[in-house]
């Protein structure tokens, strides 16, 4: 899975930090911090009921609701399934993602009106996810090695939107694909939880285009989970609020729950 | 008519009272259309569609849906019509390795967009194809489908369609529809597939699997073409003063057997799809002539799409080749010369689409060009969603080129339309 995707997806996604390993004798570097984000304990699997509010520049609000299921696989073979329940025009649409350690993820889309599953390309990872300020990569992730990592600051302290203080690593992730719309991400990684609590995405000119913040971070069943987060697009003055209404870890999900058959079966 | 009215009332009642009931979904739409080259214009079509899904435990699922649609057409040949039909009534049983779908429903074959040579299970409503999309045009049929899942990616599928359903040019007053290309001024006797259940039975099998990141299928299907083929015959008196005693035009839904193959794969930013079909047809219609002959056809299509600067861009090429059985080739009874069959065609499909403003705006261009008949269709759509679930969609459709082939039948059917859609 990719850094930036971990950085963003995982963070809102929630989760825990059961970090692995200790600090290196020579001190951490960017890749090490990225690996901690990637490898932290998120349970064997998880299920989240997610509510997404998309606010436009004039104050208009649209809402999306979906269920997100995740399963950790051996050697980075993670699985993810997103199923929309609202609004009506995308109800039952499903997106299935199979991640691979050293290869591009496979993605499958089920649109009920189309009546069949389509294999889709992953090249649009940084495009908006269902009209929100989040990208597909934020939600579904990319390849870890699609980015290079640099530790910009190893001992920072700041406050979150609620005013609470936390120590952070300041991490820069650079996409190897020079054509990516947002090739650089600056992330503030909570040293305790290895959750990204604040991030800024920069465009190719180095200008900040998107800002991510975790509003509510808590432990659920012992796993750190970002229960509320926002992604704002500066130039368009839009914002997407993401709230986890229900979360459950170690549900007992199986490979069959992440099969193409399951993707189709859940549609109506 | 009472049944249709009752169903329409039920649907409207459901739509009005239970919009948020769990499992119920659908849409209400109003479509206004003007045909610059047609006397019967403008048209107003209103439609309500509702579907309810009931899931009983992990193994059983019921889908019931229907629609009611009304037409008001002005101008010369003013018309009004209404229809209310079940659009879905099916049960799906899911077991560990097997699922069975039975009822009045759809089964999709093929991988290409819009023109899918192997998508033969459900006939099309061509008005929906032009107004909306292939997905909307696919009409349900009574079928039983069993799928055996050997692995997640390997499936054997069996489909049986015991009762034939023909394609429609329009579900609303078809004889006067602008999308009905029939130019025959006479009433024609059309013979539907008949005989025992087994003689009418259509069906096939499909094997689907994945090799690496390539999903592919092979299949076979036996059935009846959903559009009529016409033949003309006459009785000769032998008298020079009145040589023809009677003329008979008859239509049939030709029997055929096909084998097919298709694939789909995604590489980086690209998705590639392809389909190929070989079919043995009992009757192939000659071009602009009431003559048929048996023959074999091959259709092969290849498509690619990707995202480019925020646009989804898709291109497809479909090649068609027909081999007509010359020994059985009759002469045209009207002209006395050998009929002309469409032996080759090359059709190109292009789609450019972009959503923006947080997916509240959509622009889409769609075109089909028939390189042999030198005609085509271009369609431009712009849509805006001023509030969640509500869309306003404007469409312009332009047919151009020679009056030959299927597309050539619609040369006078350019139209402009506006549609309001409320999803629930």
């Amino acid at each position: 899975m990719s850094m930036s995707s971990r950085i963003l997806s995982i963070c809102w996604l929630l989760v825990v930090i059961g970090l692995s390993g200790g600090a290196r004798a020579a001190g951490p570097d960017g890749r090490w911090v990225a690996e901690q984000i990637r490898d932290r304990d998120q349970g064997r699997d998880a299920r989240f009921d997610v509510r997404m509010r998309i606010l436009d520049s004039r104050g208009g609000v649209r809402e999306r609701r979906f269920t997100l299921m995740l399963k950790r696989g051996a050697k980075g073979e993670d699985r993810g399934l997103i199923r929309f329940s609202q609004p009506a025009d995308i109800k039952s649409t499903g997106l299935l993602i199979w991640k691979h350690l050293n290869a591009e993820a496979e993605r499958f889309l089920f649109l009920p009106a189309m009546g069949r599953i389509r294999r889709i390309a992953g090249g649009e990872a940084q495009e908006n996810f269902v009209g929100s300020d989040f990208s597909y990569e934020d939600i579904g992730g990319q390849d870890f090695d699609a980015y290079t990592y640099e530790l910009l600051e190893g001992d920072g302290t700041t406050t979150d939107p609620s005013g609470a203080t936390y120590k952070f690593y300041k991490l820069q992730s650079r996409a190897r694909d020079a054509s990516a719309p947002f090739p650089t991400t600056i992330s503030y990684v909570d040293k305790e939880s290895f959750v990204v609590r604040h991030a800024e995405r920069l465009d190719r000119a180095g200008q900040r285009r998107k800002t991510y913040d975790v509003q509510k971070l808590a432990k659920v069943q012992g796993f750190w989970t970002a229960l509320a987060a926002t992604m704002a697009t500066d130039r368009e003055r839009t914002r997407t609020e993401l709230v986890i209404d229900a979360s459950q870890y170690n549900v007992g999900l199986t490979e069959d729950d992440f099969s193409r058959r399951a993707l189709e079966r859940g549609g109506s | 008519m009472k049944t249709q009215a009752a169903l329409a009332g039920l649907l409207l009642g459901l739509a009005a009272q239970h919009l948020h009931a769990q499992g119920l979904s659908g849409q209400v739409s109003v479509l206004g259309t003007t045909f610059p080259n047609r006397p019967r214009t403008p048209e107003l079509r209103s439609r309500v569609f509702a579907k309810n899904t009931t899931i009983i435990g992990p193994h059983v699922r019921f889908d019931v849906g229907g629609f009611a649609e009304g037409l008001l057409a002005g101008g010369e040949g003013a018309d009004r019509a209404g229809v209310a039909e079940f659009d879905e009534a099916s049960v799906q049983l899911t077991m560990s390795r097997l699922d069975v779908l039975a009822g009045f429903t759809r089964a999709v074959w093929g991988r290409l967009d819009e023109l899918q040579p192997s998508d033969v299970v459900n006939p099309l409503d061509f008005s929906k194809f032009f107004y909306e999309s292939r997905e909307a045009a696919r009409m349900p049929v009574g079928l039983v489908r069993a799928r055996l899942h050997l692995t997640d990616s390997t499936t054997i599928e069996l489909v049986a369609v015991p009762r034939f359903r023909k394609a429609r040019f329009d579900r609303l007053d078809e004889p006067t529809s602008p999308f009905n290309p029939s130019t025959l001024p006479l009433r024609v006797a059309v013979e539907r597939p008949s005989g025992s259940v087994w003689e009418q039975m259509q069906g096939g099998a499909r094997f689907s699997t994945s090799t690496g990141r390539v999903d592919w299928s092979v299949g076979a299907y036996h059935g009846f073409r959903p559009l009529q083929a016409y033949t003309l015959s006459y009785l000769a008196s032998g008298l020079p003063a009145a040589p023809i005693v009677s003329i008979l035009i008859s239509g049939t839904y030709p029997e055929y057997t096909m084998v097919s193959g298709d694939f789909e794969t995604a590489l980086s930013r690209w998705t590639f799809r392809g389909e190929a079909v070989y079919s043995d047809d009992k009757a192939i219609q000659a071009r602009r002539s009431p003559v048929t002959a048996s023959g074999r056809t091959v259709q092969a299509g290849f498509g690619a799409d990707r995202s480019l600067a925020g646009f989804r861009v898709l291109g497809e090429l479909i090649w068609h080749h027909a081999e007509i059985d010359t020994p059985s080739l009759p002469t045209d009874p009207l002209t006395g010369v050998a009929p002309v069959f469409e032996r080759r065609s090359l059709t190109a499909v292009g789609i450019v689409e972009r959503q923006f403003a947080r997916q509240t705006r959509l622009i889409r261009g769609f075109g089909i060009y028939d390189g042999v008949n030198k005609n085509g269709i271009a369609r431009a759509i712009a849509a805006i969603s001023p509030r969640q679930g509500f869309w306003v969609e404007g469409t312009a459709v332009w047919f151009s080129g020679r009056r030959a082939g299927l597309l050539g039948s619609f040369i006078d059917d350019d139209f402009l339309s506006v549609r309001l859609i409320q999803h629930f």
Side-chain angles (χ1 to χ4, degrees):
Chain A
M1 178 167 201
S2 82
M3 166 62 215
S4 146
S5 65
R6 284 289 173 179
I7 278 186
L8 294 173
S9 71
I10 292 226
C11 50
W12 66 265
L13 237 191
L14 353 30
V15 203
V16 176
I17 309 322
L19 55 159
S20 57
R24 293 174 166 184
D29 60 10
R31 188 173 176 87
W32 180 86
V33 174
E35 287 170 348
Q36 301 316 300
I37 297 167
R38 182 192 65 183
D39 296 338
R40 64 196 174 145
D41 184 6
Q42 301 170 56
R44 294 185 303 278
D45 58 61
R47 179 193 167 102
F48 305 97
D49 292 337
V50 183
R51 184 158 38 95
M52 194 183 254
R53 295 178 76 234
I54 304 166
L55 294 91
D56 65 29
S57 59
R58 290 169 295 181
V61 180
R62 289 168 194 253
E63 194 165 287
R64 310 258 190 263
R65 286 175 186 263
F66 59 89
T67 300
L68 172 67
M69 297 196 300
L70 300 169
K71 181 174 172 56
R72 278 288 203 181
K75 299 177 182 175
E77 303 277 312
D78 296 348
R79 300 281 187 263
L81 177 62
I82 298 165
R83 171 90 57 206
F84 287 90
S85 55
Q86 282 186 16
D89 47 356
I90 60 170
K91 184 181 176 184
S92 298
T93 295
L95 177 66
L96 174 66
I97 302 166
W98 295 346
K99 289 178 190 150
H100 302 292
L101 184 59
N102 293 314
E104 191 177 345
E106 294 178 84
R107 294 171 174 82
F108 303 92
L109 181 68
F110 177 75
L111 298 169
M114 191 172 285
R116 75 173 188 90
I117 292 169
R118 290 180 71 133
R119 185 182 280 267
I120 58 173
E124 302 82 38
Q126 293 194 340
E127 289 186 3
N128 291 333
F129 174 72
V130 291
S132 74
D133 293 272
F134 289 90
S135 69
Y136 279 90
E137 155 176 278
D138 298 334
I139 304 296
Q142 261 196 343
D143 305 328
F144 184 84
D145 289 328
Y147 289 83
T148 60
Y149 309 99
E150 182 183 349
L151 186 63
L152 301 180
E153 189 176 343
D155 198 22
T157 302
T158 189
T159 53
D160 67 14
S162 70
T165 302
Y166 68 93
K167 291 184 176 179
F168 67 88
Y169 292 113
K170 188 175 181 182
L171 181 70
Q172 177 176 271
S173 314
R174 279 190 177 277
R176 294 184 193 276
D177 178 4
S179 67
F182 307 109
T184 305
T185 304
I186 308 292
S187 307
Y188 290 69
V189 185
D190 188 318
K191 279 188 149 183
E192 181 190 357
S193 64
F194 281 95
V195 170
V196 175
R197 299 183 66 163
H198 172 85
E200 296 174 359
R201 298 204 120 180
L202 313 183
D203 62 18
R204 276 176 272 187
Q207 299 295 310
R208 189 184 71 185
R209 293 292 302 276
K210 292 189 176 189
T211 306
Y212 170 83
D213 279 298
V214 171
Q215 264 75 39
K216 186 177 179 185
L217 180 67
K219 279 191 172 181
V220 176
Q221 293 176 241
F223 300 97
W224 283 107
T225 306
L227 293 170
T230 59
M231 179 75 86
T233 303
D234 300 350
R235 190 173 298 174
E236 297 173 22
R237 292 184 291 124
T238 59
R239 190 171 85 251
T240 299
E241 300 170 354
L242 208 148
V243 176
I244 309 290
D245 285 330
S247 54
Q248 191 179 359
Y249 290 90
N250 296 333
V251 185
L253 300 173
T254 66
E255 287 290 318
D256 282 348
D257 293 313
F258 298 88
S259 65
R260 281 178 274 191
R261 189 183 180 203
L263 174 65
E264 185 187 60
R265 193 168 55 221
S268 61
Chain B
M1 245 353 245
K2 282 183 179 176
T3 305
Q4 292 181 344
L7 177 56
L10 174 66
L11 286 165
L12 289 165
L14 284 171
Q17 295 172 26
H18 301 291
L19 295 186
H20 303 291
Q22 190 173 10
L24 185 72
S25 59
Q27 59 174 249
V28 179
S29 65
V30 178
L31 172 73
T33 311
T34 180
F35 296 86
N37 306 319
R38 289 280 187 181
R40 193 190 73 155
T41 192
E43 275 190 2
L44 186 69
R45 292 170 186 248
S46 58
R47 185 179 189 225
V48 55
F49 167 81
K51 179 180 174 181
N52 189 65
T53 299
T54 305
I55 296 173
I56 303 173
H59 302 301
V60 182
R61 170 179 155 157
F62 292 96
D63 287 296
V64 178
F67 72 91
E69 192 168 355
L71 164 72
L72 284 175
E76 190 181 324
D79 195 6
R80 64 176 58 187
V83 62
E85 289 182 6
F86 277 105
D87 195 62
E88 173 109 34
S90 66
V91 58
Q92 183 159 7
L93 308 175
T94 304
M95 289 148 271
S96 62
R97 291 284 168 207
L98 179 72
D99 63 65
V100 178
L101 173 69
F104 192 57
T105 185
R106 297 166 177 83
V108 180
W109 282 20
R111 311 237 187 210
L112 293 174
D113 288 75
E114 303 297 343
L115 302 182
Q116 297 170 258
S118 63
D119 182 32
V120 293
V121 180
N122 297 93
L124 298 183
D125 173 351
F126 287 92
S127 65
K128 291 277 188 300
F129 180 80
F130 290 124
Y131 280 135
E132 299 176 46
S133 65
R134 186 181 186 93
E135 286 76 41
R138 211 176 270 127
M139 297 196 298
V141 292
L143 63 82
V144 178
R145 183 189 69 187
R147 289 191 300 191
L148 179 63
H149 301 270
L150 302 176
T151 67
D152 177 44
S153 60
T154 304
T155 304
I156 296 173
E157 176 180 356
L158 302 173
V159 177
V161 181
R163 186 173 168 80
F164 173 79
R165 188 178 193 192
K166 71 184 182 74
R168 304 291 297 263
F169 292 104
D170 201 328
R171 270 143 119 168
L172 288 167
D173 204 4
E174 189 170 41
T176 65
S177 171
F179 300 108
N180 187 348
S182 172
T183 55
L184 294 172
L186 307 170
R187 282 214 168 268
V188 182
V190 179
E191 185 183 338
R192 299 173 70 94
S194 59
S196 69
V197 171
W198 291 112
E199 287 171 312
Q200 293 185 55
M201 183 69 75
Q202 303 177 90
R206 191 172 183 228
F207 173 82
S208 303
T209 190
S210 301
T211 303
R213 294 185 175 219
V214 180
D215 305 323
W216 58 273
S217 305
V218 291
Y221 194 86
H222 176 81
F224 301 92
R225 296 291 184 194
L227 292 176
Q228 303 96 316
Y230 294 102
T231 55
L232 182 145
S233 56
Y234 61 92
L235 286 176
S237 67
L239 302 174
I244 297 174
V245 176
S246 64
I247 297 174
L248 178 65
I249 300 174
S250 58
T252 59
Y253 297 94
E255 200 172 349
Y256 73 101
T257 302
M258 74 164 203
V259 292
S260 65
D262 57 62
F263 79 94
E264 180 175 64
T265 189
L267 294 173
S268 184
R269 294 170 184 267
W270 291 89
T271 305
F272 300 101
R273 301 182 179 90
E275 277 184 60
V277 169
Y278 172 85
S279 61
D280 186 356
D281 282 80
K282 291 279 176 68
I284 296 172
Q285 182 79 59
R287 187 189 296 173
R288 284 173 290 178
S289 184
V291 171
T292 64
S294 59
R296 285 154 302 286
T297 61
V298 177
Q299 291 183 81
F302 177 80
D305 73 85
R306 66 161 291 172
S307 180
L308 194 66
F311 288 83
R312 178 181 174 240
V313 181
L314 178 148
E316 285 177 1
L317 277 179
I318 297 165
W319 172 74
H320 165 90
H321 174 79
E323 193 171 301
I324 307 298
D325 289 334
T326 310
S328 68
L329 202 58
T331 56
D332 186 330
L334 294 176
T335 61
V337 300
V340 177
F341 287 85
E342 193 161 287
R343 293 175 186 271
R344 272 177 295 280
S345 70
L346 184 65
T347 304
V349 178
I351 297 174
V352 179
E353 182 178 282
R354 182 171 189 187
Q355 291 182 303
F356 51 99
R358 297 283 173 263
Q359 294 187 358
T360 60
R361 312 281 190 276
L362 169 86
I363 52 173
R364 187 172 199 253
F366 166 65
I368 300 176
Y369 180 72
D370 180 339
V372 170
N373 290 308
K374 300 198 185 317
N375 53 32
I377 171 178
R379 179 180 182 183
I381 301 168
I384 180 171
S385 173
R387 59 182 169 81
Q388 187 155 302
F390 179 65
W391 284 88
V392 180
E393 178 187 280
T395 301
V397 172
W398 180 51
F399 294 88
S400 181
R402 289 163 40 184
R403 295 175 188 275
L406 183 62
L407 280 177
S409 308
F410 302 108
I411 288 297
D412 294 325
D413 294 332
D414 302 342
F415 68 83
L416 297 167
S417 71
V418 175
R419 189 159 62 125
L420 311 179
I421 312 159
Q422 175 67 56
H423 296 269
F424 59 84

